[in-house]
Amino acid sequence: MTSSLTRRDFLARSTVLGCSLAASPLLTPVTLASAPWDTRLVVIILRGGMDGLDVVRPVGDPAYAALRPELSKGAAGEDLDGYFALHPALAPLMPLWRKQELGFVHAVSTPYRDKRSHFDGQDLLEAGTQRLSDGVRDGWLNRMLQQVPDIRPDTAYAIGNNDVQLLQGAAPVANWSPDANLRLNAQTLRLAELVMEEDPALHAALAEAQVLSAVQTNGGGGGAHIKTARFAASRLRDAARVAAFSLNGWDTHRRQDRMLPRSLRRLSDTVLTLKKEMGNAVWDKTAVIAMTEFGRTARENGTGGTDHGTAGLMLLAGGAVRGGRVYGRWPGLAADALYQERDLMPTADVRAPAAWIMRGLTGLSRSVMEQRIFPGLDMGPEMALLR
């Protein structure tokens, strides 16, 4: 049975359900569109608030270990540039780093501040606007497609009503989603969220169970994220030029040392599957952007996790990317450098690197980027993120 609710409607009516529904990995559609240029763009939304400080670790910052005495224990990770280190779970991506096909942008965020709601944060990230009250109902990737003539949709399929909002709008796109053998139907999951919301331990346990369910879905097929990546790659080898999908389960309030590596392995597998299935000729023309609605607190909490924060991290991959470096202006982690004395300080708008990449891939003008696709954005100086 299908529902007429859009993702925005569903989320607007479901805010009482708290964090783990917004970060749920059980609903992971992929949306694709074709376009008349030869480069490819893949946008991955990391739902739940990925902890960029744990993914690309500022081990050279003297305040890092003091803020995270437990999370900083153990292996420091893969050295990137003598200051930053990559989380060990992303070690399989190091060959891409060495080939300069992997990079990161640190200390970025949307204009969203302070309330730190998954629902509002994700909506603003995908709308690409300055405020939720701006009245924009389409997503920034769809607005980019609206600037290009002769856009046509690819054949696609969808599960449920969890559409990718950033590709919603007037430009034609198509939806597809991998098979999902869910143990909980939507109504049961919603009831479980409601019952467990007020108990932090149960809330965290349910979020962890959802991650495990996502990893195990489809059994020997490699999980829903692998099927998603394979399908996206197959279409991008053909007529499709743009793909967008989500990877969920990044809400690490508790036992981050156990939760985050699972999600990072899924992200690593997804990127490597895209590369393998695209083949070198297509991969060399591809830019992958992975972005999240907000980062997490600079300090670890009392349950071995981190809470909702502000500035986060963007991952860049692909043969078209100028990788091998950590971009962004690093603000530091000293007490007087933190946002509201608790979060990594944003030093750039996360929309700016996305805009520079789209401009480089599509040839659309800076004025179109700043006025139509990301209204109110100042892209700043050229970032040179592409080869």
Side-chain angles (χ1 to χ4, degrees):
M1 181 175 180
T2 60
S3 169
S4 61
L5 282 176
T6 65
R7 175 177 171 269
R8 179 181 288 275
D9 292 336
F10 178 69
L11 294 182
R13 299 178 192 183
S14 304
T15 54
V16 296
L17 300 184
C19 299
S20 53
L21 179 60
S24 169
L26 298 180
L27 302 174
T28 54
V30 60
T31 307
L32 298 108
S34 59
W37 53 79
D38 197 38
T39 53
R40 274 73 164 174
L41 174 64
V42 180
V43 179
I44 306 174
I45 302 297
L46 306 175
R47 300 196 191 283
M50 182 182 73
D51 183 14
L53 290 174
D54 205 356
V55 177
V56 174
R57 300 167 168 180
V59 293
D61 193 309
Y64 178 69
L67 288 166
R68 297 179 168 214
E70 295 300 320
L71 290 175
S72 63
K73 286 181 178 178
E78 301 283 340
D79 177 62
L80 296 178
D81 58 7
Y83 190 91
F84 292 104
L86 189 63
H87 192 289
L90 288 184
L93 295 184
M94 283 302 293
L96 298 185
W97 174 266
R98 289 188 283 269
K99 291 181 65 177
Q100 298 186 347
E101 295 179 354
L102 176 72
F104 303 93
V105 188
H106 231 316
V108 291
S109 78
T110 70
Y112 181 66
R113 295 289 185 275
D114 304 341
K115 291 184 179 179
R116 300 178 177 89
S117 157
H118 288 300
F119 305 102
D120 289 345
Q122 289 170 18
D123 275 356
L124 194 63
L125 176 67
E126 297 189 63
T129 56
Q130 290 286 105
R131 296 168 296 273
L132 286 169
S133 60
D134 285 348
V136 175
R137 295 188 176 275
D138 49 10
W140 54 266
L141 259 183
N142 193 280
R143 292 197 297 276
M144 183 268 285
L145 294 173
Q146 292 173 34
Q147 308 306 312
V148 183
D150 303 321
I151 292 294
R152 64 178 182 79
D154 253 307
T155 302
Y157 306 88
I159 281 181
N161 47 31
N162 187 26
D163 296 329
V164 179
Q165 182 188 333
L166 64 93
L167 263 172
Q168 291 181 351
V173 299
N175 296 296
W176 177 89
S177 173
D179 298 333
N181 181 21
L182 304 183
R183 296 180 184 274
L184 295 179
N185 63 31
Q187 291 81 9
T188 303
L189 177 62
R190 186 168 181 173
L191 178 60
E193 290 275 357
L194 185 60
V195 170
M196 297 181 185
E197 181 188 12
E198 299 303 323
D199 187 309
L202 289 176
H203 178 88
L206 180 60
E208 183 173 358
Q210 290 171 320
V211 172
L212 290 173
S213 175
V215 172
Q216 295 168 359
T217 295
N218 298 309
H225 62 292
I226 297 296
K227 287 196 172 185
T228 294
R230 286 174 178 163
F231 181 80
S234 73
R235 304 310 302 152
L236 292 164
R237 288 198 312 266
D238 192 15
R241 295 294 179 266
V242 176
F245 55 92
S246 61
L247 292 177
N248 308 311
W250 301 92
D251 197 24
T252 51
H253 288 285
R254 173 176 172 266
R255 289 303 307 270
Q256 185 163 308
D257 62 332
R258 186 169 61 185
M259 292 280 289
L260 185 62
R262 292 169 181 158
S263 296
L264 289 174
R265 284 190 288 270
R266 292 170 61 228
L267 176 58
S268 175
D269 290 346
T270 298
V271 171
L272 293 176
T273 299
L274 286 169
K275 175 178 170 62
K276 177 182 177 182
E277 297 294 327
M278 283 182 185
N280 290 336
V282 176
W283 177 255
D284 287 347
K285 299 180 283 191
T286 296
V288 180
I289 301 172
M291 54 206 311
T292 193
E293 66 261 34
F294 44 63
R296 306 191 76 82
T297 48
R299 295 177 182 84
E300 63 187 42
N301 62 28
T303 59
T306 53
D307 299 315
H308 301 172
T310 307
L313 179 80
M314 174 186 282
L315 177 147
L316 309 174
V321 167
R322 191 186 300 274
R325 63 191 74 183
V326 179
Y327 292 91
R329 181 167 60 87
W330 179 247
L333 294 173
D336 60 357
L338 296 177
Y339 179 75
Q340 295 187 343
E341 301 183 344
R342 53 164 279 163
D343 302 338
L344 181 65
M345 178 71 71
T347 59
D349 193 316
V350 74
R351 299 174 298 169
W356 281 116
I357 286 175
M358 285 197 295
R359 172 160 164 67
L361 294 178
T362 67
L364 293 172
S365 71
R366 176 171 180 153
S367 62
V368 166
M369 290 292 164
E370 293 180 333
Q371 297 171 21
R372 299 185 184 181
I373 299 174
F374 294 116
L377 172 67
D378 178 357
M379 292 169 62
E382 167 68 59
M383 296 188 69
L385 299 173
L386 300 179
R387 297 178 191 272

